[in-house]
Amino acid sequence: MTKIKIPVSAMGTPLTEEELKSIVGGMTGDTNNCSCHLEYELGTSIIGVHATDKETCKAKCSAMCVNDEYCIHADYEYYATSL
């Protein structure tokens, strides 16, 4: 067998760290999880919300409480998992 020689000029530019993260993240099946904990006088309601980062999760949960006249307080839980 002979070795294949690939010229360096055919290799292109190396991937950036962010490009590598997006490739690996897509392959591993990363998922983002956000749940809003809305507090009422009579109890708490937990609602799942679509968010891609912690700040978006926090903002969406706060907005849910502001838009609900019976909501006293909103809290959130955000975490990302890899498969």
Side-chain angles (χ1 to χ4, degrees), residues 36-80:
C36 299
H37 303 251
L38 305 178
E39 184 181 332
Y40 300 94
E41 278 188 30
L42 300 176
T44 303
S45 179
I46 300 172
I47 301 169
V49 176
H50 175 72
T52 56
D53 58 57
K54 187 176 182 177
E55 289 304 312
T56 303
C57 179
K58 180 180 179 179
K60 285 187 174 186
C61 291
S62 294
M64 288 177 75
C65 189
V66 167
N67 294 327
D68 184 342
E69 64 180 294
Y70 300 107
C71 182
I72 299 169
H73 176 74
D75 203 1
Y76 70 95
E77 181 180 2
Y78 176 83
Y79 59 94

Side-chain angles (χ1 to χ4, degrees), residues 13-26:
T13 58
L15 296 175
T16 65
E17 184 178 347
E18 289 303 312
E19 290 171 326
L20 284 171
K21 284 181 183 178
S22 69
I23 292 169
V24 172

